[in-house]
Amino acid sequence: EPEVTQTPSHQVTQMGQEVILRCVPISNHLYFYWYRQILGQKVEFLVSFYNNEISEKSEIFDDQFSVERPDGSNFTLKIRSTKLEDSAMYFCASLGGGETQYFGPGTRLLVL
Amino acid sequence: DQQVKQNSPSLSVQEGRISILNCDYTNSMFDYFLWYKKYPAEGPTFLISISSIKDKNEDGRFTVFLNKSAKHLSLHIVPSQPGDSAVYFCAASAHSNYQLIWGAGTKLIIKP
């Protein structure tokens, strides 16, 4: 069964460093999303991406964040200068022709 | 942001009995509702969904009921099995490919 994959599973970085989180969505899907969950809090929407551009973004998704689909398979989230409060689980999701977003296993980001 | 609420942080149910998880929402623009199951350190796994034009959707042991006038939905699991022990999230969107707004989750514990 097709699934969304994410790498790395864990990332530890120093505050101020750049990180790139990678996702491979389900191959025939057209909509891509990033969400995050800070420990003990709700899952929060960050950004959605369709037709090679951002279609929606939340207040969290400020200038420190960017997304890219550099080739036909990968979908990346870049945080330019990480802050302590960026520590969270980051989930990628994709949606095809239906109405259900399918999620990857997540990347646990720890900013020290 | 309390657009989607799951007021029970946890629920304990005997194996074989019915588990009922509840979710309330405030935004009348929501027209698509989903339930996800999540294990620790994993991504959310889609369980079942319902659109606002229906009041019930069934898939095997899982049934979701939607009461639009009360802005309330519930997930019924019958019979409950030990493998059902997980955190269950209710999520909603105003359109099938829009961002999902999440509840805080309910931890379901199935007792043998």
Side-chain angles (χ1 to χ4, degrees):
Chain A
E1 183 175 326
E3 58 183 18
V4 177
T5 59
Q6 289 184 244
T7 55
S9 58
H10 295 78
Q11 173 102 39
V12 181
T13 190
Q14 294 290 323
M15 190 170 58
Q17 294 296 304
E18 174 184 287
V19 294
I20 298 176
L21 309 183
R22 291 183 167 80
C23 170
V24 179
I26 295 173
S27 63
N28 60 347
H29 283 189
L30 301 174
Y31 297 87
F32 314 111
Y33 307 82
W34 284 101
Y35 293 81
R36 77 174 186 190
Q37 186 179 27
I38 294 171
L39 188 63
Q41 297 187 21
K42 287 186 177 185
V43 177
E44 302 171 291
F45 168 77
L46 294 177
V47 66
S48 60
F49 193 84
Y50 171 72
N51 200 26
N52 284 320
E53 60 183 27
I54 290 173
S55 47
E56 266 192 303
K57 62 181 181 178
S58 71
E59 291 178 354
I60 303 167
F61 194 86
D62 61 22
D63 291 344
Q64 292 299 314
F65 291 87
S66 62
V67 288
E68 195 176 35
R69 188 155 161 83
D71 52 41
S73 59
N74 289 284
F75 179 52
T76 62
L77 174 69
K78 182 192 291 186
I79 310 175
R80 288 190 184 81
S81 178
T82 49
K83 308 185 193 73
L84 296 176
E85 54 264 37
D86 293 328
S87 296
M89 281 289 289
Y90 287 80
F91 297 107
C92 172
S94 70
L95 180 150
E99 298 171 312
T100 300
Q101 293 179 31
Y102 292 92
F103 284 77
T107 294
R108 182 174 294 281
L109 177 64
L110 178 60
V111 182
L112 302 176
Chain B
D1 181 354
Q2 292 288 315
Q3 294 188 70
V4 178
K5 299 180 203 179
Q6 293 177 258
N7 291 320
S8 299
S10 66
L11 175 67
S12 187
V13 174
Q14 202 73 36
E15 181 179 358
R17 305 293 291 267
I18 183 171
S19 296
I20 300 176
L21 298 105
N22 294 302
C23 179
D24 297 292
Y25 63 96
T26 56
N27 189 339
S28 57
M29 298 299 292
F30 288 148
D31 68 354
Y32 193 62
F33 305 89
L34 306 91
W35 285 94
Y36 287 87
K37 175 181 179 181
K38 188 179 180 301
Y39 296 112
E42 293 186 13
T45 300
F46 170 72
L47 275 178
I48 192 168
S49 62
I50 189 165
S51 73
S52 58
I53 61 173
K54 294 185 175 181
D55 56 16
K56 178 182 174 181
N57 188 26
E58 192 172 353
D59 184 2
R61 296 187 298 115
F62 303 93
T63 303
V64 55
F65 295 92
L66 175 63
N67 182 333
K68 282 186 68 179
S69 61
K71 293 190 175 69
H72 176 84
L73 62 155
S74 60
L75 173 68
H76 293 210
I77 307 173
V78 181
S80 300
Q81 298 174 353
D84 295 331
S85 295
V87 179
Y88 288 77
F89 290 93
C90 169
S93 71
H95 188 277
S96 63
N97 59 8
Y98 287 6
Q99 61 173 289
L100 294 177
I101 306 298
W102 296 75
T106 297
K107 183 175 183 178
L108 177 64
I109 301 163
I110 305 301
K111 300 179 291 186

